[in-house]
Amino acid sequence: ECEKSHAESLGEVVASTADSLTRRVEGDPTRARGFEPIQQSSADAAARHACSCVAGTSTADPSRGATPKHPDAAGRAALATFGPRQGVMPAKPESKDDHYVRLAFAVVVAVIIVAVIALIWPTAAIVIGVIVFVCGVGYVALTKQRNVVRTNKVKAERAVLVQEQVVAAQQRVQEFQAHYCVLPGDQFCALEKLKSHERLRDSLIVYDSIGDVEAAMDDGVVFVFLSHQWLGYDEPDPERVHVGAMREAIRSVGQDADVPLDRVRVWLDVISIPQRNRSEQKLAIASLPTFASSCNYFVAVAPDTVHANTRVACGARSYRRRAWCRAEIMSCWARNGTRDMYLSTSTGLRPLAPSDEILVEALDVFGGDLTCCRRGHGNGEACDREELMLPILGLYAEIYRDREGVAEEAYGLIKPRRSRADICSPTTHHGL
């Protein structure tokens, strides 16, 4: 009977809906508008009936008594659609403003009562006043205690959140989050212009894990990580300044490692990171610390030139100010040290960081310049600092964990610099 009555109620809704739509098509808006109250009344009837089914009683026919306390499928569906009956809707939680209004009202009433009693019976007024004062002090103390409990709860939740973020960040830097895509050295040196990942996809060699890269290294393959500053907003090297310097750098690496160019593997952001698929790009960015540290040579390419859009001078100094370049330097140095980090010059490769000044500057990754910030994050564009947060957090966590082992050198520079002012803007620079 419950299902039958409910079906009849829902049948009215369907019938009235169909009739209304028919009238609208036939161009009779008067009849169509009459649909709304019919639908509302039927919907209310269905909702009340469904709620009574769930509660174990039926409103379809009071003379039949209670139905079994097992909600039918139709009743559950209607309850989910229309919600519970109005009488069982949860009360709206009291706001802070309502609480303070009630408290102020109670205080005013208490003051008036004490004042009236003071006129009639002064001694009793004093006693009541003391009682009210004690109650007020107790209420204030209780409120303060509640605030302390609330604050401690928020702090505990924040600590858990931070811990979860640190764990997630450490997991990000333990293994590649995206494919490690590299281009053979001989093919790279044949490029006249830097091409995107998508255009060179068929020529790329893909490694799935750090273990695969290490196995290739054991087999005599040399990996080179090229770090550079983009010279245009939409193109990395619009005037083909960097590509020439990069070709020379790869040839210098081949000579230094005494291997043919076809045994060299080149990683470069525009070539190795997807440029069109934003999701894959984010995964590759999250792998930046592992990419930068999975190489035999880290080469910074920063010849003197100008930016194609801003016409601002670009070179070694502007390279050091870039947040992405600092992140790449820090990633390689924190895991591999500075021994195989080089700066490409017209006379060949030379050490990137002959002193600690450049490394200290690279620690301030988030204080570096970003194109997205310069362009004002138009159309709700996210800041690149958000992309870098987890990878760099994971890197710092790893440095702290291994501070007495492989990361001792990196931690030795980080430890004494506890404020941002100590990290930013070194007064002197060496190397670059």
Side-chain angles (χ1 to χ4, degrees):
E1 291 295 332
C2 178
E3 291 181 359
K4 180 179 178 181
S5 177
H6 179 68
E8 290 174 355
S9 298
L10 293 183
E12 293 178 13
V13 178
V14 175
S16 58
T17 303
D19 179 68
S20 175
L21 293 177
T22 302
R23 296 300 177 183
R24 289 181 188 274
V25 173
E26 293 176 353
D28 187 354
T30 303
R31 292 291 301 276
R33 284 195 296 272
F35 152 72
E36 295 177 358
I38 296 174
Q39 182 195 38
Q40 184 63 38
S41 62
S42 300
D44 291 341
R48 289 194 299 272
H49 182 66
C51 293
S52 64
C53 290
V54 174
T57 60
S58 173
T59 58
D61 189 349
S63 64
R64 295 178 182 174
T67 58
K69 295 186 178 182
H70 298 285
D72 62 314
R76 290 195 299 271
L79 180 61
T81 304
F82 300 113
R85 288 179 293 179
Q86 195 170 19
V88 296
M89 288 293 287
K92 181 181 178 182
E94 183 182 35
S95 67
K96 281 189 175 181
D97 292 339
D98 295 337
H99 171 72
Y100 289 132
V101 168
R102 291 172 56 189
L103 177 62
F105 179 75
V107 170
V108 170
V109 171
V111 170
I112 293 174
I113 293 174
V114 171
V116 171
I117 295 176
L119 294 176
I120 301 173
W121 191 7
T123 304
I126 294 174
V127 174
I128 295 174
V130 171
I131 293 174
V132 170
F133 176 76
V134 171
C135 291
V137 172
Y139 178 81
V140 171
L142 180 61
T143 303
K144 187 175 181 180
Q145 179 63 25
R146 280 182 178 177
N147 291 337
V148 170
V149 172
R150 258 192 226 108
T151 301
N152 291 338
K153 182 179 179 181
V154 170
K155 288 182 178 179
E157 291 175 350
R158 184 179 181 276
V160 171
L161 177 61
V162 170
Q163 180 64 27
E164 290 176 351
Q165 287 183 325
V166 171
V167 171
Q170 288 179 299
Q171 292 174 347
R172 288 282 186 98
V173 298
Q174 293 302 315
E175 184 55 86
F176 295 150
Q177 303 298 313
H179 294 302
Y180 188 55
C181 304
V182 291
L183 188 67
D186 55 341
Q187 296 186 40
F188 185 89
C189 290
L191 294 176
E192 294 295 328
K193 181 180 180 180
L194 294 182
K195 298 180 181 179
S196 69
H197 173 88
E198 288 74 15
R199 294 184 62 185
L200 293 173
R201 193 192 310 272
D202 294 338
S203 302
L204 295 174
I205 299 175
V206 178
Y207 295 88
D208 296 315
S209 66
I210 296 176
D212 293 341
V213 174
E214 292 175 347
M217 288 180 179
D218 294 339
D219 195 36
V221 176
V222 175
F223 290 83
V224 183
F225 186 99
L226 292 179
S227 176
H228 72 124
Q229 172 188 357
W230 277 43
L231 300 178
Y233 287 152
D234 301 315
E235 290 187 64
D237 188 27
E239 298 178 8
R240 306 185 185 187
V241 176
H242 278 179
V243 66
M246 290 175 179
R247 287 197 300 262
E248 292 301 319
I250 297 304
R251 293 190 182 101
S252 298
V253 167
Q255 293 175 1
D256 185 75
D258 193 23
V259 296
L261 291 180
D262 61 353
R263 300 287 289 171
V264 176
R265 303 289 180 262
V266 181
W267 190 99
L268 180 65
D269 53 5
V270 67
I271 291 176
S272 302
I273 295 179
Q275 302 298 307
R276 296 178 185 172
N277 189 314
R278 185 61 176 161
S279 298
E280 290 188 9
Q281 188 180 69
K282 287 183 178 182
L283 290 174
I285 290 171
S287 297
L288 186 63
T290 49
F291 287 162
S293 59
S294 298
C295 62
N296 303 102
Y297 289 80
F298 180 99
V299 181
V301 179
D304 293 330
T305 183
V306 295
H307 194 277
N309 299 103
T310 63
R311 308 312 295 175
V312 173
C314 296
R317 290 186 178 275
S318 64
Y319 169 85
R320 291 198 309 267
R321 290 195 299 267
R322 301 294 299 170
W324 284 109
C325 300
R326 291 181 178 184
E328 292 167 355
I329 291 174
M330 180 182 170
S331 298
C332 183
W333 156 65
R335 288 183 160 183
N336 299 341
T338 60
R339 184 185 61 182
D340 295 317
M341 300 180 69
Y342 299 93
L343 171 67
S344 176
T345 68
S346 57
T347 58
L349 302 178
R350 61 186 178 91
L352 175 65
S355 69
D356 292 340
E357 297 296 339
I358 291 174
L359 302 179
V360 170
E361 190 177 43
L363 289 176
D364 186 25
V365 173
F366 296 100
D369 297 338
L370 288 166
T371 300
C372 63
C373 297
R374 178 180 295 179
R375 301 177 75 173
H377 306 101
N379 300 321
E381 177 188 7
C383 182
D384 285 346
R385 288 183 176 86
E386 298 177 26
E387 308 276 359
L388 281 168
M389 189 277 289
L390 276 183
I392 298 303
L393 176 62
L395 199 60
Y396 273 116
E398 187 176 276
I399 291 173
Y400 185 77
R401 183 194 65 198
D402 299 331
R403 62 190 180 279
E404 296 179 357
V406 294
E408 183 178 3
E409 177 186 352
Y411 184 72
L413 284 179
I414 295 174
K415 184 178 179 180
R417 295 169 173 82
R418 300 189 179 277
S419 68
R420 187 175 183 276
D422 292 329
I423 297 177
C424 296
S425 304
T427 55
T428 58
H429 302 286
H430 304 283
L432 278 180

